[in-house]
């Protein structure tokens, strides 16, 4: 029997070492039977990849930045789906850092043949920071003499009360790619569970976390003076605020599913209502939803919708120009990894009702498998009315209730938390709702300073800076087939003058359609005045009723323009955030619009190992009637409020893909109504009294 | 003992006549004790008003268009609230039509003194169409020789299969205010429960429904030909589609509140969480939420938020220029009345969980009280995360769940249904969510026609025209006091160039604040590029932390520009829909932005009895630091899809008012967390295991 799994080294991770697989916990995390080609690497496969890579690199020693599934190429997967080939070989993809040289390399390993198939050295690019990498900053900074002195100068001597949030460097001209950099934002805690964001300190630390070396302690002086640490406490944990809880005011709301859930899970394949899909997960994107199909009740066939959906990037640029805040623009997906930062979820806390959880399988720097238990939550929720109509003449009523299938994860990005809720509803809609909560990034204020205009004073001597959150949702559409196009729709008044024969009363309006033909045209702007939307269509399949091609409409009016100016660091690094939509032709393994290597990136064009959406768009290839990919940007601009302190009420923002002449009729008519009411004074069909037929025994059922 | 209440004359209404009050049903609808000054008129008060008006008008005879509460003047109500005066006298307000002359008049009756206090004749203006009025069209049209001939010509002889949706006239130059007009849109039914919207006919009817006289039957000829009725059936009721129901696919979701609801209702006063408010209802606006206050946990005092919230107008302009479709632009609030059209709700059908219903009290043309049982639904829903934060170092987690209080009603406006969901959440937010469902307005197509560009063919030979839905939410704010201002907020990049000392890295951005000083400035446009929002502030009360005035922010990016051109009928009649925001100084009884009398209105300026928001704005009075009212327009532009036929999946659209430096900290910190998790490997405070403290016994509880 192997030793018990080590649970101490990374909070929230359960780490498995070779030989651990016999333990009960491990067995539960091993896949049953043949894996689906899109399943995550298992806890057995990860160390297999590690061993093959280590052997290949020997005698050089390897630090693993990631080990993850190498998804099959699209053509290969399509051939498998079509039954033309057996399952593609399982492959692993690793990014490694050679310990001796700090050389970064990408490795592709075939697990069936036990061969390294590709090995590519990467120049001038830095991979994602892992939780292990981030852990270095606080440890080395606390022991650094310059950090200790910077603390002592403002009266802090107990270094165990100093905490550093480790961030990717953002930008720092003092060092290049010869060093792997982090910046540490420094906070103080009065006690073990005190809220550190109430005590931001006036200096930051730059470190080479690979060499474990503090490079610089950047103290901010105002008029030549240090800023005193704000020491007033602002807490949110029960020990501090529990006496304010009102336990009687909110009565419980119980949600139960006595007959179980309505979805079925086989391995990582999920079916619910008319939908079928595969749920994947990786260290970088977190949830990946693949192979989304829908059963058409009218044509009685399965129709493809989306080949792959995931959140591939986000950027949080802060708007304070003063050093060191210019460095704050976190790319949480590319710099830290949405998978790596995922919370282990708990029933009743993060989700309610009957939940199905899936685990996330990560890797450690040593090449071990690390499991985030309950990384993915799958559950259903009531969603109010699906449809209703009353005939006002006789009171005949029909109404049906909608519900949601939600596939979700929550990540902690240092101070912030993001909830990702991939949501499907019975009308055929896919919606990504993000919920933003957690802690504001804060900074101390010198008595001569005001928070305005670049921040809000959220407590005495504390400012929270203006910032934006811009997410990039990557949708690889497969609307009733592989070859799709995007058509821009603008609601416009008729060109004809009021009083003209074509528009006598001036009410005429229409939807102006503009096909996006190349990837430069696919870099589209939003237009509020025309309520712009975009239809992803299949030009080869007509809706014979509407005489329009079948499609899904992108509805996105939550796309804040990037406020960093053209030419700015953020503008260059986060080119994806310049547009609410980019459409490019599909290429295997082209996934990340800010580049595969975002840490320390400058956004330079034509980088040999780190191309971005800007490069892809500038290829200006055809995007009509071909295999395309859409990058949909959305988010919000946040001017902090005092209500956001000391912990932020969740703020939602979403984007939606809605069937648009995809189905010949309402796709929800198979849903039994919750009510069929007939005014029995005048009618006697269907039901002898209101809400009788199909109505639930208990009034609270769906 | 009186005779049983008559329930036959208006579907969904229970009508009470004098003497009925002793019946059990009636007693339940009588208020207990002294009414609150904002309570609806009771079923006893309505006939009292009617009698006083009748006596006053004698010997002329009276048709009642409405009898409703005359709300106290604001100053009077404020004096009452402050305890300076006893309850204001109960007053009724009636709009009447003198049967002999069709003269319209407004009457104010004091129920305490039994006196008619005001009697004002109204010229060149038409009041709302009641359900009784709408009932006339179908009855008289079926018997009209021209209508019968128009049907016969297209092969329809059984006039009991002809149905007319009665609409306000919209515009018709052929008649003026000497006649009270309606247009009838004509449909056919194959059988009693057949969907008539699958069989739209090619003619419409104009009638004087006061004189009960058909004025014109407008047959549309295409190339001199009639259009054959589309006879194919497209149904949605179970008798027709029930064999498609899949009863096994969706398992029940049960929502229960074993300890009851968390809100308290005393009469029509409602308290929940930190909120207190009064729920009113009238024939025109439907739900009226008054006197919204919030208890501030930090200042331990009650603070006023909104004096009055209601949906005061909406317009649904259709975009097809061809006659007779130019007449289709329904003002559902002003022309038909949101109260009058309200559904009687049913548990399990329209709402789930533990519901408190309130009734709506209307009046009939004869001056009787007519009750819509369960017109208003009050219930709570779980709302996911209120806040969450994990310390990534040690896994310390806190999370709390949010919930909603929803005050809702559903109306049927002929083909369409609208759900109004006034929603409050624990972070202090008010949100109005509308849900649009029901039936598309349809029209038949001649074989030579195409639906494009002004509509979508949703079934063979049937088009559904492009249209917009623009709602007007009236918010009379009282942000911490009566005198408020509105400040426009635009997110803008810094003016300083990239590389300048003030903006070295180009990331600087800020919120530019522009006070709206007069009601012409208060007619504001939305700006997507700056993510514009508007803060309703109290300039007399500073948030001492943020050093900004306390406020609530209007978040509205769902404000489609009106697509009817300047100079068009709709543009003139629906001036309110030209702007997403209007701010005017408060005036007693100035409520309806398209005018008090919308039917047959032309939108003319300076109408002596029918002023509109345009007139109010053009007074150009001060709106700074005074008692103001905000009219917030929002909605959507709808290009119909085949998915919207034969019944539309509900489409939501919403607008939000969010606390903005109103509270000095997160106002939800009194909510006990659903989870406090501490990694017990490293910590031992608060809880000995995850989710122990305050965690529910049953995992599914809130």
């Amino acid at each position: 029997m192997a030793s018990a799994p080590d649970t101490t080294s990374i909070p929230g991770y359960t780490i498995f070492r070779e030989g651990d697989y016999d333990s009960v916990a491990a067995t539960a995390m091993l896949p049953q039977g043949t894996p689906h080609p899109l399943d995550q690497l298992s806890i057995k496969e990860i160390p297999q990849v590690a061993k093959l890579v280590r052997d290949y690199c020997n005698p050089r020693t390897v630090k693993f930045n990631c080990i993850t599934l190498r998804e099959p190429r699209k053509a290969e997967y399509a051939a498998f789906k079509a039954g033309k080939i057996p399952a593609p070989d399982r492959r692993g993809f690793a990014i490694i850092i050679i310990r001796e040289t700090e050389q970064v390399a990408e490795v592709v390993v075939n697990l069936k043949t036990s061969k390294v198939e590709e090995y590519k050295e990467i120049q001038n690019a830095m991979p994602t920071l892992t939780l292990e990498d981030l852990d270095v900053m606080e440890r080395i900074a606390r022991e650094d003499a310059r950090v200790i002195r910077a603390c002592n100068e403002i009266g802090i001597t107990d270094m165990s009360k100093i905490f550093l949030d480790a961030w990717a460097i953002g930008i720092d001209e003092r060092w290049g790619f010869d060093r792997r950099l982090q910046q540490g934002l420094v906070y103080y805690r009065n006690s073990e569970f005190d809220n550190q964001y109430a005590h931001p300190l006036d200096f930051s630390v730059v470190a080479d976390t690979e060499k474990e070396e503090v490079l610089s302690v950047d103290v901010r002086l105002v008029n030549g003076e240090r800023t005193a640490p704000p020491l007033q406490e602002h807490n949110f944990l029960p020990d501090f605020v529990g006496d304010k809880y009102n336990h009687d005011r909110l009565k419980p709301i119980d949600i139960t599913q006595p007959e179980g859930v309505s979805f079925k899970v086989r391995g990582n394949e999920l079916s619910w209502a008319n939908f079928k899909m595969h749920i994947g997960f990786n260290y970088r994107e977190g949830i990946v939803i693949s192979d989304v199909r829908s059963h058409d009740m009218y044509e009685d066939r399965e129709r493809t919708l989306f080949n792959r959906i995931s959140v591939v990037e986000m950027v949080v640029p802060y708007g304070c120009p003063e050093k060191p805040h210019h460095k704050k623009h976190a790319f949480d997906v590319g710099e830290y990894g949405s998978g790596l930062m995922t919370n282990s979820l708990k029933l009743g806390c993060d989700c309610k009702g009957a939940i199905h959880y899936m685990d996330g399988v990560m890797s450690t720097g040593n090449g071990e498998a690390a499991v985030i238990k309950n990384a993915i939550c799958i559950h259903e929720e009531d969603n109010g009315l699906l449809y209703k109509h009353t005939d006002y003449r006789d009171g005949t009523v029909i109404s049906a209730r909608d519900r949601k299938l939600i596939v979700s994860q929550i990540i902690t990005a240092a101070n912030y938390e993001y909830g990702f809720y991939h949501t499907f509803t019975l009308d055929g809609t896919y919606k990504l709702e993000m919920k933003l909560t957690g802690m504001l990034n804060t900074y101390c204020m010198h008595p001569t300073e005001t928070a305005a205009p670049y921040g809000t004073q959220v407590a005495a001597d504390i400012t929270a800076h203006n910032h934006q959150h811009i997410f990039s949702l990557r949708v690889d559409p497969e609307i009733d087939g592989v070859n799709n196009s995007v058509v821009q729709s603008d609601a416009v008044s008729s060109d004809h003058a009021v009083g003209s024969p074509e528009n006598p009363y001036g009410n005429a309006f229409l939807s102006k359609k503009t096909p996006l033909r190349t990837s430069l045209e696919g870099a589209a702007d939003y237009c509020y005045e025309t309520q712009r939307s975009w239809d992803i269509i299949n030009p080869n399949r007509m809706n014979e009723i509407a005489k329009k091609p079948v499609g899904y409409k992108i509805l996105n009016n939550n796309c804040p323009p990037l406020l960093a100016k053209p030419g700015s660091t953020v503008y260059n690094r986060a080119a994806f955030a310049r547009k609410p939509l980019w459409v490019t032709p599909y290429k295997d393994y082209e996934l990340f619009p800010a580049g595969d290597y975002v840490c320390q990136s400058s956004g330079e064009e034509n980088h040999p190992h780190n191309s971005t959406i800007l490069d892809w768009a500038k290829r200006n290839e055809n995007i009509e009637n071909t295999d395309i990919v859409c990058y949909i940007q959305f988010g919000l601009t946040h001017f902090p409020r005092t209500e956001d302190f000391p912990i932020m009420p969740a703020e939602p923002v979403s984007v939606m893909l809605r069937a648009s002449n995809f189905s010949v009729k309402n796709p929800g008519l198979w849903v039994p109504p919750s009510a069929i009411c007939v005014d029995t004074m005048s009618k006697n069909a269907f039901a002898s009294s209101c809400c009788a037929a199909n109505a639930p025994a208990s009034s609270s059922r769906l």
Side-chain angles (χ1 to χ4, degrees), chain A residues 257 262-263 272-273 275 378-384 401-407 421-426 429 431 433 435 702:
Chain A
Q257 295 191 265
S262 316
F263 54 83
W272 175 81
F275 290 105
I378 302 173
H379 79 296
E380 293 177 280
E381 285 183 10
D382 179 56
N383 194 33
R401 291 192 77 80
D402 194 17
R403 66 170 70 182
K404 300 176 184 175
L405 173 77
I406 305 174
V407 182
Y421 302 87
H422 299 270
T423 304
F424 296 86
T425 46
L426 297 177
T429 298
K431 172 174 165 175
E433 179 168 80
K435 275 199 174 181
L702 177 57

Side-chain angles (χ1 to χ4, degrees), chain A residues 385-391 395-401 666 674-675 677:
Chain A
L385 282 183
L386 174 60
Y387 62 78
K388 180 176 187 182
H389 183 61
T390 301
D391 189 310
T396 311
V397 180
I398 189 165
S399 85
R401 291 192 77 80
N666 182 333
S674 55
C677 302

